[in-house]
Amino acid sequence: LGKLEVARRKGQEIPLGWAADSSGKATTVPADGINGGLLPLGGEELTSGYKGFGLAMMVEILCGILADASYGLHVRKWGATEGIANLGQTFIAIDPNAFAPGFKERLSTYINEMRNLKAMDPTKPVLVPGDPERMHRAEVER
């Protein structure tokens, strides 16, 4: 809810698809989203939100149920301070060599292909996870 809270404090609307009000309807009003809930990645069904719902369920299962932490409706509400938050985490280690040889090379090819996609805005290149942090680190080190 961090971005909703920031928008609420600034008096700004949020993009449609970020949150739903308490009746389950998508909203652009941050306070309504805080009182309702976040929508899954992808937003509503029309924009394939059901795929994000599946990913969200996987996170709840791995980080809540598997970790013996709060999950789903049992997670403490935003801004509440009574009781322990009991938030869980899950870390998964995968040995790519246990699957097929050439993982590093295929991954490197894939990352470079993603970075070299045509950008929607020529002034903003396509970035992969970790690129913004690497760019910031290089800027700080200058």
Side-chain angles (χ1 to χ4, degrees), residues 77-127:
K77 293 285 183 196
W78 178 256
T81 56
E82 64 277 348
I84 297 171
N86 191 23
L87 302 177
Q89 299 177 1
T90 293
F91 299 91
I92 299 172
I94 298 173
D95 179 3
N97 295 318
F99 293 88
F103 172 79
K104 281 185 178 181
E105 294 78 15
R106 290 191 311 277
L107 179 60
S108 181
T109 297
Y110 176 66
I111 288 172
N112 288 327
E113 289 171 351
M114 294 301 104
R115 285 185 179 129
N116 290 313
L117 290 171
K118 183 178 178 186
M120 295 296 295
D121 179 345
T123 65
K124 297 179 181 176
V126 175
L127 303 177

